[in-house]
Amino acid sequence: MREQVIIIGAGPAGLAAAGRLRERDIPFVILEKGTGVAQCWRDHYDRLRLHTVKQFSHLPSLPFPEDYPLYVPKKELVAYYEAYAEKYNIQPVFNTTVTTIDKQDDTWTVNCTDGTVYTGASVILCAGMNRIPFSPTFLGQEDFQGKIIHSHDYQNPTPYQGKRVLVVGMGNSGAGIALDVCERGGEAGS
């Protein structure tokens, strides 16, 4: 029998890896810190949608449903990831935080905060690039009388209606949040 592969993270990359392993009958366990697949996508702001077209954004072997819009919104995206997990019988171990990963000879050992230890032939790290927000400090920030939040903590424009908002950064999240605030009664600049 083949030794299992340990996948850390049940977001898009972790699900894709698990799906491909399942297609090849390679045993695996998938560990997820959150309470559901694609936890980071679940936690992002309400209006979020993919910034790439659906034809080039699906996971291996499962295109998005035809009735999905060209730029898939958050709710449909999460439903798609859940359907992918169901199709490949991917059952992550949720609420599991990895503390250390060690290798001795040909065996990897993954230790978790609850004391559980997983061993395997390989580890695939799919923890995500946006799971830990980076918040820079700006000169004079301590004197600012308004509220400063990271896009990670933004959910919807309701608290900003009728207010002036400065969005710093015009990446995907910054552009989406600025548009969201402007269309819902705020005044955003970037």
Side-chain angles (χ1 to χ4, degrees), residues 104-142:
Q104 187 170 31
D105 299 322
D106 291 332
T107 302
W108 289 91
T109 302
V110 175
N111 296 287
C112 303
T113 53
D114 66 358
T116 306
V117 177
Y118 295 89
T119 59
S122 303
V123 173
I124 303 174
L125 188 57
C126 303
M129 61 183 241
N130 65 355
R131 65 186 178 85
I132 301 172
F134 170 71
S135 296
T137 302
F138 300 100
L139 184 64
Q141 177 176 324
E142 65 279 353

PDB file of all heavy atoms in Angstrom, residues 104-142:
ATOM      1  N   GLN A 104      12.183  13.092   8.538  1.00  0.00           N
ATOM      2  CA  GLN A 104      13.248  12.223   9.014  1.00  0.00           C
ATOM      3  C   GLN A 104      13.305  11.037   8.062  1.00  0.00           C
ATOM      4  O   GLN A 104      12.313  10.324   7.886  1.00  0.00           O
ATOM      5  CB  GLN A 104      12.994  11.762  10.447  1.00  0.00           C
ATOM      6  CG  GLN A 104      14.167  11.014  11.015  1.00  0.00           C
ATOM      7  CD  GLN A 104      13.990  10.784  12.509  1.00  0.00           C
ATOM      8  OE1 GLN A 104      12.892  10.645  13.005  1.00  0.00           O
ATOM      9  NE2 GLN A 104      15.105  10.726  13.217  1.00  0.00           N
ATOM     10  N   ASP A 105      14.467  10.862   7.453  1.00  0.00           N
ATOM     11  CA  ASP A 105      14.651   9.848   6.414  1.00  0.00           C
ATOM     12  C   ASP A 105      13.638  10.102   5.289  1.00  0.00           C
ATOM     13  O   ASP A 105      13.633  11.177   4.722  1.00  0.00           O
ATOM     14  CB  ASP A 105      14.544   8.440   6.989  1.00  0.00           C
ATOM     15  CG  ASP A 105      15.625   8.173   8.050  1.00  0.00           C
ATOM     16  OD1 ASP A 105      16.770   8.642   7.859  1.00  0.00           O
ATOM     17  OD2 ASP A 105      15.318   7.523   9.062  1.00  0.00           O
ATOM     18  N   ASP A 106      12.750   9.146   5.020  1.00  0.00           N
ATOM     19  CA  ASP A 106      11.780   9.314   3.939  1.00  0.00           C
ATOM     20  C   ASP A 106      10.370   9.605   4.443  1.00  0.00           C
ATOM     21  O   ASP A 106       9.402   9.493   3.678  1.00  0.00           O
ATOM     22  CB  ASP A 106      11.741   8.045   3.078  1.00  0.00           C
ATOM     23  CG  ASP A 106      13.021   7.848   2.293  1.00  0.00           C
ATOM     24  OD1 ASP A 106      13.680   8.868   1.983  1.00  0.00           O
ATOM     25  OD2 ASP A 106      13.365   6.688   1.988  1.00  0.00           O
ATOM     26  N   THR A 107      10.223   9.977   5.702  1.00  0.00           N
ATOM     27  CA  THR A 107       8.900  10.193   6.277  1.00  0.00           C
ATOM     28  C   THR A 107       8.745  11.626   6.773  1.00  0.00           C
ATOM     29  O   THR A 107       9.597  12.154   7.474  1.00  0.00           O
ATOM     30  CB  THR A 107       8.657   9.218   7.451  1.00  0.00           C
ATOM     31  OG1 THR A 107       8.785   7.873   6.968  1.00  0.00           O
ATOM     32  CG2 THR A 107       7.278   9.395   8.049  1.00  0.00           C
ATOM     33  N   TRP A 108       7.612  12.216   6.377  1.00  0.00           N
ATOM     34  CA  TRP A 108       7.246  13.544   6.855  1.00  0.00           C
ATOM     35  C   TRP A 108       6.325  13.400   8.053  1.00  0.00           C
ATOM     36  O   TRP A 108       5.443  12.546   8.075  1.00  0.00           O
ATOM     37  CB  TRP A 108       6.521  14.321   5.760  1.00  0.00           C
ATOM     38  CG  TRP A 108       7.419  14.742   4.645  1.00  0.00           C
ATOM     39  CD1 TRP A 108       7.690  14.049   3.505  1.00  0.00           C
ATOM     40  CD2 TRP A 108       8.163  15.951   4.573  1.00  0.00           C
ATOM     41  NE1 TRP A 108       8.565  14.751   2.723  1.00  0.00           N
ATOM     42  CE2 TRP A 108       8.871  15.942   3.353  1.00  0.00           C
ATOM     43  CE3 TRP A 108       8.307  17.047   5.414  1.00  0.00           C
ATOM     44  CZ2 TRP A 108       9.694  16.981   2.948  1.00  0.00           C
ATOM     45  CZ3 TRP A 108       9.128  18.082   5.014  1.00  0.00           C
ATOM     46  CH2 TRP A 108       9.815  18.043   3.796  1.00  0.00           C
ATOM     47  N   THR A 109       6.528  14.259   9.052  1.00  0.00           N
ATOM     48  CA  THR A 109       5.665  14.283  10.237  1.00  0.00           C
ATOM     49  C   THR A 109       5.067  15.675  10.363  1.00  0.00           C
ATOM     50  O   THR A 109       5.790  16.678  10.335  1.00  0.00           O
ATOM     51  CB  THR A 109       6.478  13.954  11.506  1.00  0.00           C
ATOM     52  OG1 THR A 109       7.081  12.663  11.330  1.00  0.00           O
ATOM     53  CG2 THR A 109       5.596  13.932  12.738  1.00  0.00           C
ATOM     54  N   VAL A 110       3.757  15.731  10.478  1.00  0.00           N
ATOM     55  CA  VAL A 110       3.033  16.991  10.625  1.00  0.00           C
ATOM     56  C   VAL A 110       2.358  16.978  11.991  1.00  0.00           C
ATOM     57  O   VAL A 110       1.549  16.094  12.291  1.00  0.00           O
ATOM     58  CB  VAL A 110       1.995  17.168   9.495  1.00  0.00           C
ATOM     59  CG1 VAL A 110       1.164  18.420   9.721  1.00  0.00           C
ATOM     60  CG2 VAL A 110       2.688  17.204   8.135  1.00  0.00           C
ATOM     61  N   ASN A 111       2.719  17.951  12.830  1.00  0.00           N
ATOM     62  CA  ASN A 111       2.145  18.075  14.170  1.00  0.00           C
ATOM     63  C   ASN A 111       1.102  19.187  14.180  1.00  0.00           C
ATOM     64  O   ASN A 111       1.301  20.238  13.566  1.00  0.00           O
ATOM     65  CB  ASN A 111       3.248  18.403  15.181  1.00  0.00           C
ATOM     66  CG  ASN A 111       4.248  17.273  15.288  1.00  0.00           C
ATOM     67  OD1 ASN A 111       3.958  16.232  15.844  1.00  0.00           O
ATOM     68  ND2 ASN A 111       5.429  17.477  14.721  1.00  0.00           N
ATOM     69  N   CYS A 112       0.021  18.965  14.917  1.00  0.00           N
ATOM     70  CA  CYS A 112      -1.077  19.922  14.982  1.00  0.00           C
ATOM     71  C   CYS A 112      -1.280  20.408  16.416  1.00  0.00           C
ATOM     72  O   CYS A 112      -0.847  19.750  17.367  1.00  0.00           O
ATOM     73  CB  CYS A 112      -2.359  19.282  14.453  1.00  0.00           C
ATOM     74  SG  CYS A 112      -2.166  18.672  12.762  1.00  0.00           S
ATOM     75  N   THR A 113      -1.949  21.544  16.570  1.00  0.00           N
ATOM     76  CA  THR A 113      -2.133  22.151  17.891  1.00  0.00           C
ATOM     77  C   THR A 113      -2.898  21.244  18.853  1.00  0.00           C
ATOM     78  O   THR A 113      -2.693  21.324  20.058  1.00  0.00           O
ATOM     79  CB  THR A 113      -2.872  23.501  17.797  1.00  0.00           C
ATOM     80  OG1 THR A 113      -4.086  23.320  17.065  1.00  0.00           O
ATOM     81  CG2 THR A 113      -2.016  24.557  17.146  1.00  0.00           C
ATOM     82  N   ASP A 114      -3.762  20.388  18.331  1.00  0.00           N
ATOM     83  CA  ASP A 114      -4.539  19.511  19.215  1.00  0.00           C
ATOM     84  C   ASP A 114      -3.770  18.257  19.621  1.00  0.00           C
ATOM     85  O   ASP A 114      -4.308  17.365  20.275  1.00  0.00           O
ATOM     86  CB  ASP A 114      -5.872  19.129  18.564  1.00  0.00           C
ATOM     87  CG  ASP A 114      -5.711  18.260  17.325  1.00  0.00           C
ATOM     88  OD1 ASP A 114      -4.560  17.958  16.925  1.00  0.00           O
ATOM     89  OD2 ASP A 114      -6.750  17.884  16.737  1.00  0.00           O
ATOM     90  N   GLY A 115      -2.500  18.166  19.208  1.00  0.00           N
ATOM     91  CA  GLY A 115      -1.673  17.020  19.563  1.00  0.00           C
ATOM     92  C   GLY A 115      -1.677  15.904  18.540  1.00  0.00           C
ATOM     93  O   GLY A 115      -0.906  14.947  18.648  1.00  0.00           O
ATOM     94  N   THR A 116      -2.536  16.003  17.533  1.00  0.00           N
ATOM     95  CA  THR A 116      -2.589  14.987  16.491  1.00  0.00           C
ATOM     96  C   THR A 116      -1.323  15.056  15.644  1.00  0.00           C
ATOM     97  O   THR A 116      -0.822  16.139  15.341  1.00  0.00           O
ATOM     98  CB  THR A 116      -3.826  15.188  15.589  1.00  0.00           C
ATOM     99  OG1 THR A 116      -4.999  15.247  16.407  1.00  0.00           O
ATOM    100  CG2 THR A 116      -3.971  14.047  14.590  1.00  0.00           C
ATOM    101  N   VAL A 117      -0.819  13.897  15.260  1.00  0.00           N
ATOM    102  CA  VAL A 117       0.375  13.795  14.433  1.00  0.00           C
ATOM    103  C   VAL A 117       0.015  12.992  13.185  1.00  0.00           C
ATOM    104  O   VAL A 117      -0.588  11.918  13.279  1.00  0.00           O
ATOM    105  CB  VAL A 117       1.526  13.110  15.197  1.00  0.00           C
ATOM    106  CG1 VAL A 117       2.744  12.942  14.305  1.00  0.00           C
ATOM    107  CG2 VAL A 117       1.876  13.884  16.461  1.00  0.00           C
ATOM    108  N   TYR A 118       0.374  13.531  12.024  1.00  0.00           N
ATOM    109  CA  TYR A 118       0.152  12.838  10.753  1.00  0.00           C
ATOM    110  C   TYR A 118       1.510  12.526  10.146  1.00  0.00           C
ATOM    111  O   TYR A 118       2.429  13.342  10.222  1.00  0.00           O
ATOM    112  CB  TYR A 118      -0.643  13.719   9.783  1.00  0.00           C
ATOM    113  CG  TYR A 118      -2.040  13.994  10.260  1.00  0.00           C
ATOM    114  CD1 TYR A 118      -2.313  15.090  11.069  1.00  0.00           C
ATOM    115  CD2 TYR A 118      -3.099  13.163   9.917  1.00  0.00           C
ATOM    116  CE1 TYR A 118      -3.598  15.345  11.524  1.00  0.00           C
ATOM    117  CE2 TYR A 118      -4.385  13.400  10.362  1.00  0.00           C
ATOM    118  CZ  TYR A 118      -4.633  14.503  11.164  1.00  0.00           C
ATOM    119  OH  TYR A 118      -5.896  14.745  11.623  1.00  0.00           O
ATOM    120  N   THR A 119       1.637  11.337   9.550  1.00  0.00           N
ATOM    121  CA  THR A 119       2.874  10.981   8.863  1.00  0.00           C
ATOM    122  C   THR A 119       2.541  10.604   7.427  1.00  0.00           C
ATOM    123  O   THR A 119       1.445  10.108   7.143  1.00  0.00           O
ATOM    124  CB  THR A 119       3.606   9.803   9.547  1.00  0.00           C
ATOM    125  OG1 THR A 119       2.742   8.669   9.578  1.00  0.00           O
ATOM    126  CG2 THR A 119       4.040  10.181  10.951  1.00  0.00           C
ATOM    127  N   GLY A 120       3.504  10.861   6.542  1.00  0.00           N
ATOM    128  CA  GLY A 120       3.277  10.532   5.147  1.00  0.00           C
ATOM    129  C   GLY A 120       4.555  10.579   4.342  1.00  0.00           C
ATOM    130  O   GLY A 120       5.615  10.992   4.823  1.00  0.00           O
ATOM    131  N   ALA A 121       4.430  10.167   3.099  1.00  0.00           N
ATOM    132  CA  ALA A 121       5.566  10.140   2.187  1.00  0.00           C
ATOM    133  C   ALA A 121       5.871  11.522   1.627  1.00  0.00           C
ATOM    134  O   ALA A 121       6.994  11.813   1.249  1.00  0.00           O
ATOM    135  CB  ALA A 121       5.277   9.176   1.036  1.00  0.00           C
ATOM    136  N   SER A 122       4.851  12.370   1.560  1.00  0.00           N
ATOM    137  CA  SER A 122       4.995  13.712   0.986  1.00  0.00           C
ATOM    138  C   SER A 122       4.078  14.677   1.718  1.00  0.00           C
ATOM    139  O   SER A 122       3.073  14.277   2.304  1.00  0.00           O
ATOM    140  CB  SER A 122       4.599  13.717  -0.493  1.00  0.00           C
ATOM    141  OG  SER A 122       5.357  12.790  -1.214  1.00  0.00           O
ATOM    142  N   VAL A 123       4.435  15.964   1.619  1.00  0.00           N
ATOM    143  CA  VAL A 123       3.588  17.040   2.121  1.00  0.00           C
ATOM    144  C   VAL A 123       3.399  18.036   0.990  1.00  0.00           C
ATOM    145  O   VAL A 123       4.358  18.403   0.311  1.00  0.00           O
ATOM    146  CB  VAL A 123       4.218  17.751   3.345  1.00  0.00           C
ATOM    147  CG1 VAL A 123       3.401  18.972   3.742  1.00  0.00           C
ATOM    148  CG2 VAL A 123       4.362  16.803   4.520  1.00  0.00           C
ATOM    149  N   ILE A 124       2.157  18.441   0.773  1.00  0.00           N
ATOM    150  CA  ILE A 124       1.854  19.500  -0.191  1.00  0.00           C
ATOM    151  C   ILE A 124       1.306  20.666   0.616  1.00  0.00           C
ATOM    152  O   ILE A 124       0.263  20.554   1.254  1.00  0.00           O
ATOM    153  CB  ILE A 124       0.833  19.042  -1.251  1.00  0.00           C
ATOM    154  CG1 ILE A 124       1.336  17.804  -1.990  1.00  0.00           C
ATOM    155  CG2 ILE A 124       0.540  20.179  -2.221  1.00  0.00           C
ATOM    156  CD1 ILE A 124       0.320  17.207  -2.956  1.00  0.00           C
ATOM    157  N   LEU A 125       2.018  21.774   0.608  1.00  0.00           N
ATOM    158  CA  LEU A 125       1.633  22.946   1.381  1.00  0.00           C
ATOM    159  C   LEU A 125       0.794  23.878   0.510  1.00  0.00           C
ATOM    160  O   LEU A 125       1.276  24.444  -0.459  1.00  0.00           O
ATOM    161  CB  LEU A 125       2.879  23.671   1.893  1.00  0.00           C
ATOM    162  CG  LEU A 125       2.677  24.808   2.860  1.00  0.00           C
ATOM    163  CD1 LEU A 125       1.903  24.354   4.093  1.00  0.00           C
ATOM    164  CD2 LEU A 125       4.017  25.380   3.275  1.00  0.00           C
ATOM    165  N   CYS A 126      -0.479  24.019   0.867  1.00  0.00           N
ATOM    166  CA  CYS A 126      -1.439  24.842   0.109  1.00  0.00           C
ATOM    167  C   CYS A 126      -2.127  25.817   1.053  1.00  0.00           C
ATOM    168  O   CYS A 126      -3.350  25.955   1.044  1.00  0.00           O
ATOM    169  CB  CYS A 126      -2.473  23.949  -0.570  1.00  0.00           C
ATOM    170  SG  CYS A 126      -1.799  22.708  -1.669  1.00  0.00           S
ATOM    171  N   ALA A 127      -1.334  26.476   1.879  1.00  0.00           N
ATOM    172  CA  ALA A 127      -1.893  27.336   2.924  1.00  0.00           C
ATOM    173  C   ALA A 127      -2.396  28.675   2.412  1.00  0.00           C
ATOM    174  O   ALA A 127      -3.048  29.399   3.137  1.00  0.00           O
ATOM    175  CB  ALA A 127      -0.860  27.549   4.032  1.00  0.00           C
ATOM    176  N   GLY A 128      -2.104  29.037   1.182  1.00  0.00           N
ATOM    177  CA  GLY A 128      -2.646  30.273   0.619  1.00  0.00           C
ATOM    178  C   GLY A 128      -1.765  31.480   0.854  1.00  0.00           C
ATOM    179  O   GLY A 128      -1.138  31.617   1.903  1.00  0.00           O
ATOM    180  N   MET A 129      -1.752  32.361  -0.145  1.00  0.00           N
ATOM    181  CA  MET A 129      -0.902  33.539  -0.048  1.00  0.00           C
ATOM    182  C   MET A 129      -1.580  34.711   0.640  1.00  0.00           C
ATOM    183  O   MET A 129      -0.934  35.661   1.024  1.00  0.00           O
ATOM    184  CB  MET A 129      -0.430  33.965  -1.435  1.00  0.00           C
ATOM    185  CG  MET A 129      -1.547  34.333  -2.381  1.00  0.00           C
ATOM    186  SD  MET A 129      -0.886  34.723  -3.997  1.00  0.00           S
ATOM    187  CE  MET A 129      -1.421  36.402  -4.160  1.00  0.00           C
ATOM    188  N   ASN A 130      -2.884  34.666   0.808  1.00  0.00           N
ATOM    189  CA  ASN A 130      -3.565  35.815   1.401  1.00  0.00           C
ATOM    190  C   ASN A 130      -4.204  35.511   2.748  1.00  0.00           C
ATOM    191  O   ASN A 130      -5.063  36.232   3.207  1.00  0.00           O
ATOM    192  CB  ASN A 130      -4.612  36.373   0.437  1.00  0.00           C
ATOM    193  CG  ASN A 130      -5.739  35.397   0.187  1.00  0.00           C
ATOM    194  OD1 ASN A 130      -5.716  34.267   0.659  1.00  0.00           O
ATOM    195  ND2 ASN A 130      -6.723  35.823  -0.560  1.00  0.00           N
ATOM    196  N   ARG A 131      -3.757  34.467   3.386  1.00  0.00           N
ATOM    197  CA  ARG A 131      -4.379  34.109   4.658  1.00  0.00           C
ATOM    198  C   ARG A 131      -3.913  34.979   5.812  1.00  0.00           C
ATOM    199  O   ARG A 131      -4.606  35.099   6.823  1.00  0.00           O
ATOM    200  CB  ARG A 131      -4.150  32.632   4.971  1.00  0.00           C
ATOM    201  CG  ARG A 131      -2.727  32.252   5.194  1.00  0.00           C
ATOM    202  CD  ARG A 131      -2.544  30.745   5.364  1.00  0.00           C
ATOM    203  NE  ARG A 131      -1.152  30.441   5.521  1.00  0.00           N
ATOM    204  CZ  ARG A 131      -0.515  30.486   6.687  1.00  0.00           C
ATOM    205  NH1 ARG A 131      -1.143  30.792   7.776  1.00  0.00           N
ATOM    206  NH2 ARG A 131       0.768  30.210   6.746  1.00  0.00           N
ATOM    207  N   ILE A 132      -2.753  35.615   5.681  1.00  0.00           N
ATOM    208  CA  ILE A 132      -2.242  36.498   6.728  1.00  0.00           C
ATOM    209  C   ILE A 132      -2.064  37.888   6.122  1.00  0.00           C
ATOM    210  O   ILE A 132      -1.177  38.100   5.299  1.00  0.00           O
ATOM    211  CB  ILE A 132      -0.905  35.988   7.304  1.00  0.00           C
ATOM    212  CG1 ILE A 132      -1.081  34.588   7.889  1.00  0.00           C
ATOM    213  CG2 ILE A 132      -0.370  36.957   8.352  1.00  0.00           C
ATOM    214  CD1 ILE A 132       0.210  33.922   8.311  1.00  0.00           C
ATOM    215  N   PRO A 133      -2.915  38.840   6.492  1.00  0.00           N
ATOM    216  CA  PRO A 133      -2.806  40.171   5.896  1.00  0.00           C
ATOM    217  C   PRO A 133      -1.556  40.916   6.358  1.00  0.00           C
ATOM    218  O   PRO A 133      -1.099  40.745   7.480  1.00  0.00           O
ATOM    219  CB  PRO A 133      -4.071  40.886   6.391  1.00  0.00           C
ATOM    220  CG  PRO A 133      -4.494  40.148   7.605  1.00  0.00           C
ATOM    221  CD  PRO A 133      -4.008  38.733   7.458  1.00  0.00           C
ATOM    222  N   PHE A 134      -1.009  41.720   5.459  1.00  0.00           N
ATOM    223  CA  PHE A 134       0.115  42.582   5.789  1.00  0.00           C
ATOM    224  C   PHE A 134      -0.422  43.999   5.925  1.00  0.00           C
ATOM    225  O   PHE A 134      -1.033  44.529   5.004  1.00  0.00           O
ATOM    226  CB  PHE A 134       1.186  42.529   4.694  1.00  0.00           C
ATOM    227  CG  PHE A 134       2.250  43.571   4.879  1.00  0.00           C
ATOM    228  CD1 PHE A 134       3.174  43.450   5.908  1.00  0.00           C
ATOM    229  CD2 PHE A 134       2.313  44.678   4.059  1.00  0.00           C
ATOM    230  CE1 PHE A 134       4.151  44.414   6.101  1.00  0.00           C
ATOM    231  CE2 PHE A 134       3.283  45.646   4.236  1.00  0.00           C
ATOM    232  CZ  PHE A 134       4.210  45.515   5.260  1.00  0.00           C
ATOM    233  N   SER A 135      -0.230  44.593   7.076  1.00  0.00           N
ATOM    234  CA  SER A 135      -0.703  45.960   7.334  1.00  0.00           C
ATOM    235  C   SER A 135       0.481  46.875   7.588  1.00  0.00           C
ATOM    236  O   SER A 135       1.059  46.869   8.684  1.00  0.00           O
ATOM    237  CB  SER A 135      -1.648  45.986   8.549  1.00  0.00           C
ATOM    238  OG  SER A 135      -2.801  45.236   8.281  1.00  0.00           O
ATOM    239  N   PRO A 136       0.853  47.683   6.590  1.00  0.00           N
ATOM    240  CA  PRO A 136       1.964  48.603   6.799  1.00  0.00           C
ATOM    241  C   PRO A 136       1.568  49.735   7.747  1.00  0.00           C
ATOM    242  O   PRO A 136       0.386  49.992   7.970  1.00  0.00           O
ATOM    243  CB  PRO A 136       2.233  49.140   5.393  1.00  0.00           C
ATOM    244  CG  PRO A 136       0.930  49.026   4.693  1.00  0.00           C
ATOM    245  CD  PRO A 136       0.252  47.807   5.270  1.00  0.00           C
ATOM    246  N   THR A 137       2.555  50.384   8.284  1.00  0.00           N
ATOM    247  CA  THR A 137       2.331  51.556   9.132  1.00  0.00           C
ATOM    248  C   THR A 137       2.736  52.782   8.325  1.00  0.00           C
ATOM    249  O   THR A 137       3.791  52.796   7.689  1.00  0.00           O
ATOM    250  CB  THR A 137       3.180  51.472  10.415  1.00  0.00           C
ATOM    251  OG1 THR A 137       2.836  50.259  11.092  1.00  0.00           O
ATOM    252  CG2 THR A 137       2.911  52.642  11.327  1.00  0.00           C
ATOM    253  N   PHE A 138       1.893  53.820   8.353  1.00  0.00           N
ATOM    254  CA  PHE A 138       2.147  55.035   7.599  1.00  0.00           C
ATOM    255  C   PHE A 138       2.568  56.157   8.544  1.00  0.00           C
ATOM    256  O   PHE A 138       2.069  56.255   9.670  1.00  0.00           O
ATOM    257  CB  PHE A 138       0.889  55.447   6.818  1.00  0.00           C
ATOM    258  CG  PHE A 138       0.434  54.408   5.843  1.00  0.00           C
ATOM    259  CD1 PHE A 138      -0.614  53.549   6.161  1.00  0.00           C
ATOM    260  CD2 PHE A 138       1.062  54.259   4.623  1.00  0.00           C
ATOM    261  CE1 PHE A 138      -1.028  52.576   5.263  1.00  0.00           C
ATOM    262  CE2 PHE A 138       0.654  53.286   3.729  1.00  0.00           C
ATOM    263  CZ  PHE A 138      -0.387  52.451   4.040  1.00  0.00           C
ATOM    264  N   LEU A 139       3.456  57.002   8.070  1.00  0.00           N
ATOM    265  CA  LEU A 139       3.916  58.149   8.843  1.00  0.00           C
ATOM    266  C   LEU A 139       2.713  59.004   9.242  1.00  0.00           C
ATOM    267  O   LEU A 139       1.893  59.358   8.394  1.00  0.00           O
ATOM    268  CB  LEU A 139       4.907  58.974   8.008  1.00  0.00           C
ATOM    269  CG  LEU A 139       5.551  60.157   8.713  1.00  0.00           C
ATOM    270  CD1 LEU A 139       6.409  59.675   9.884  1.00  0.00           C
ATOM    271  CD2 LEU A 139       6.416  60.941   7.736  1.00  0.00           C
ATOM    272  N   GLY A 140       2.586  59.303  10.503  1.00  0.00           N
ATOM    273  CA  GLY A 140       1.487  60.124  11.004  1.00  0.00           C
ATOM    274  C   GLY A 140       0.200  59.359  11.254  1.00  0.00           C
ATOM    275  O   GLY A 140      -0.821  59.943  11.622  1.00  0.00           O
ATOM    276  N   GLN A 141       0.215  58.063  11.082  1.00  0.00           N
ATOM    277  CA  GLN A 141      -0.985  57.244  11.236  1.00  0.00           C
ATOM    278  C   GLN A 141      -1.622  57.397  12.615  1.00  0.00           C
ATOM    279  O   GLN A 141      -2.841  57.419  12.742  1.00  0.00           O
ATOM    280  CB  GLN A 141      -0.616  55.783  10.980  1.00  0.00           C
ATOM    281  CG  GLN A 141      -1.732  54.798  11.179  1.00  0.00           C
ATOM    282  CD  GLN A 141      -1.314  53.382  10.813  1.00  0.00           C
ATOM    283  OE1 GLN A 141      -0.553  53.185   9.878  1.00  0.00           O
ATOM    284  NE2 GLN A 141      -1.816  52.411  11.546  1.00  0.00           N
ATOM    285  N   GLU A 142      -0.783  57.541  13.631  1.00  0.00           N
ATOM    286  CA  GLU A 142      -1.313  57.646  14.999  1.00  0.00           C
ATOM    287  C   GLU A 142      -2.129  58.915  15.214  1.00  0.00           C
ATOM    288  O   GLU A 142      -2.951  58.982  16.132  1.00  0.00           O
ATOM    289  CB  GLU A 142      -0.170  57.557  16.029  1.00  0.00           C
ATOM    290  CG  GLU A 142       0.826  58.699  15.973  1.00  0.00           C
ATOM    291  CD  GLU A 142       1.887  58.556  14.880  1.00  0.00           C
ATOM    292  OE1 GLU A 142       1.971  57.516  14.210  1.00  0.00           O
ATOM    293  OE2 GLU A 142       2.629  59.533  14.687  1.00  0.00           O
TER     294      GLU A 142
END
